[in-house]
Amino acid sequence: MNDLSSAPAPEDERPRKQRKPDWIRVKAPVSKGYQETRKLMRDLKLNTVCEEAACPNIGECWDKKHATVMILGDVCTRACAFCNVKTGMPRLVDPMEPENVAIAAGQMGLQHIVITSVDRDDLPDGGAGQFVKVIKALRRETPDTTIEILTPDFRGKMRPAVEAICEAGPDVYNHNLETVPRLYPTIRPGARYYASLRLLEEVKSHDPMIFTKSGIMLGLGEQRLEVHQVMDDMRSADVDFITMGQYLQPTPRHANVEDFVTPKAFAAYGSIARAKGFLQVASSPLTRSSYHAGDDFAQMRAAREAKLAKEQARASA
C-alpha cells in the first residue's frame, strides 16, 4: 500500500497563491540603518509590530530609525483572520519594558514614537496600565518626543482603560476598525465594530484635544459604499485621521486577498475622506497605521491649528 501522507494536495485544494501587482512589491531590507535598529530592539528585548505583523515597509522605516514598539509581549489572546501575531497564552508582563522603550526612543533620537500592543484579555485592565507606564517613562526620559498609541479594544473594560490612558496624555490615540462591519464575523471575530467606535468616541469625550486616528484594510471583499459608510461612522465619532491600506495575506492560513486595490482607487478613497472632513488622510496600497506617522502627525497638528485660526477669524468678523 502506498503512503500518501506526503503526497501533494490536488491543485484545487492547495491554498491560493497570489501574485502581487508591481505597485505592492518592496525590496528586502538590507541597509545598515535597518541592521542597527534590529540590533537595538534585540538588545533591549523589545518586540515590534513591524516584525511580528510582517509589515512590508520595515526596510524603509527601520533604515530611517522608525519603529513601532509592541508592548505586553508577542503573544496575543485573540486570533484575527488577518493578523500574523502569535496567538496563545501570553507570558508575564515585563516590568522593565516601559524603561526599555524610553531608552530605545532616546538612543534612536525619535521625534515621534508609536506604541502598540497585543490583545491581553487575560489581564484585569486589558494592559492599559502598561500603556500608562510607557507614556510616563517616555515623558520623563524623552520629553520632546510626541507619543502615538495604537491600542486594542479593551473588551469589557474599555471605559476605565481609556480614561487611565487619556490621563497619561498621549498626543495621538489610534484604534483601528480594520474592516467594514459586515466582515467582522470572519475577519475580526473577537471584536465588535460598534464597540470600537464607542472607544474612539470615549477618547474624544475624555479629552477633545487628543488626536484620534483609525484605519481599515482594503482588499478583503468590502464594497465601495461600505467603505464610505465607515468613513461617515468615523467622522460621527470625531476621528481626526483615517488610514487606508492594502490587506496582504501573511500566510496561507489567513484570510485570502479578494482584490488588489489599485493606487488610483486608493487616491479616490482619499479624496472622498478629505471631503468628509478628516484633518489627515493616508490612503495608498502600502499605507499602514504607523507608516510615516511622525510626518503625518506634524501635518495633522498644522491642519488643526489652521482650522482653529479660521474659526476664530470667522467668529470675530
Side-chain angles (χ1 to χ4, degrees):
M1 185 174 177
N2 292 332
D3 181 7
L4 301 179
S5 60
S6 61
E11 191 168 335
D12 59 353
E13 294 180 13
R14 294 179 201 166
R16 190 168 64 188
K17 186 174 178 65
Q18 294 164 305
R19 179 178 173 80
K20 295 176 184 175
D22 291 341
W23 65 75
I24 205 73
R25 295 181 194 167
V26 293
K27 295 180 180 178
V30 294
S31 70
K32 179 183 177 184
Y34 168 85
Q35 298 296 343
E36 288 173 351
T37 301
R38 187 174 185 273
K39 182 178 186 301
L40 178 61
M41 294 301 155
R42 295 291 180 279
D43 290 347
L44 293 174
K45 297 182 173 60
L46 294 175
N47 300 299
T48 67
V49 75
C50 319
E51 289 183 290
E52 301 300 331
C55 179
N57 304 315
I58 188 171
E60 177 187 347
C61 293
W62 282 25
D63 181 52
K64 296 176 180 178
K65 302 296 179 68
H66 297 168
T68 299
V69 178
M70 189 172 74
I71 63 173
L72 294 164
D74 62 352
V75 179
C76 186
T77 54
R78 308 268 180 99
C80 295
F82 63 86
C83 184
N84 200 41
V85 176
K86 296 190 288 288
T87 300
M89 181 54 67
R91 293 185 287 273
L92 294 175
V93 176
D94 179 3
M96 293 304 298
E97 190 173 57
E99 199 63 34
N100 285 339
V101 171
I103 291 170
Q107 289 189 17
M108 294 169 74
L110 296 184
Q111 293 179 312
H112 186 83
I113 188 170
V114 183
I115 308 296
T116 189
S117 79
V118 290
D119 278 283
R120 290 298 301 260
D121 297 312
D122 59 310
L123 298 176
D125 67 349
Q130 192 77 337
F131 273 99
V132 170
K133 291 175 183 176
V134 170
I135 293 169
K136 288 181 176 179
L138 287 164
R139 293 294 187 217
R140 185 175 61 250
E141 300 297 331
T142 59
D144 294 331
T145 302
T146 50
I147 301 170
E148 179 172 330
I149 59 165
L150 170 55
T151 77
D153 59 8
F154 300 115
R155 186 173 61 197
K157 40 222 163 192
M158 181 268 288
R159 184 160 289 145
V162 167
E163 183 174 332
I165 292 172
C166 287
E167 285 294 324
D171 297 284
V172 182
Y173 195 123
N174 186 0
H175 174 66
N176 286 330
L177 295 182
E178 306 292 10
T179 188
V180 301
R182 176 176 57 85
L183 298 178
Y184 261 57
T186 53
I187 301 301
R188 201 176 174 220
R192 300 293 179 268
Y193 179 80
Y194 290 103
S196 285
L197 270 178
R198 283 196 298 274
L199 182 150
L200 292 161
E201 290 174 337
E202 189 71 24
V203 174
K204 281 295 189 185
S205 175
H206 192 81
D207 186 347
M209 295 309 293
I210 294 178
F211 290 100
T212 49
K213 179 176 175 180
S214 190
I216 59 171
M217 301 169 289
L218 302 183
L220 285 163
E222 69 288 332
Q223 300 297 311
R224 181 171 55 87
L225 292 180
E226 290 179 308
V227 177
H228 294 177
Q229 184 61 57
V230 170
M231 293 181 193
D232 288 338
D233 291 342
M234 286 188 189
R235 288 303 300 133
S236 294
D238 202 17
V239 170
D240 297 301
F241 185 177
I242 183 174
T243 61
M244 292 175 278
Q246 172 69 51
Y247 166 67
L248 297 175
Q249 185 181 22
T251 75
R253 301 189 308 275
H254 291 82
N256 288 325
V257 175
E258 299 299 330
D259 183 33
F260 284 106
V261 181
T262 66
K264 184 178 179 180
F266 271 107
Y269 277 129
S271 295
I272 291 167
R274 290 182 188 92
K276 289 181 181 291
F278 289 96
L279 284 178
Q280 184 72 357
V281 176
S283 180
S284 74
L286 287 174
T287 291
R288 296 296 183 268
S289 290
S290 308
Y291 191 39
H292 296 161
D295 292 338
D296 285 335
F297 172 71
Q299 292 172 22
M300 180 167 55
R301 184 162 54 183
R304 175 189 274 175
E305 290 170 356
K307 181 181 178 182
L308 291 174
K310 188 180 294 185
E311 290 172 352
Q312 288 171 356
R314 190 181 299 124
S316 60

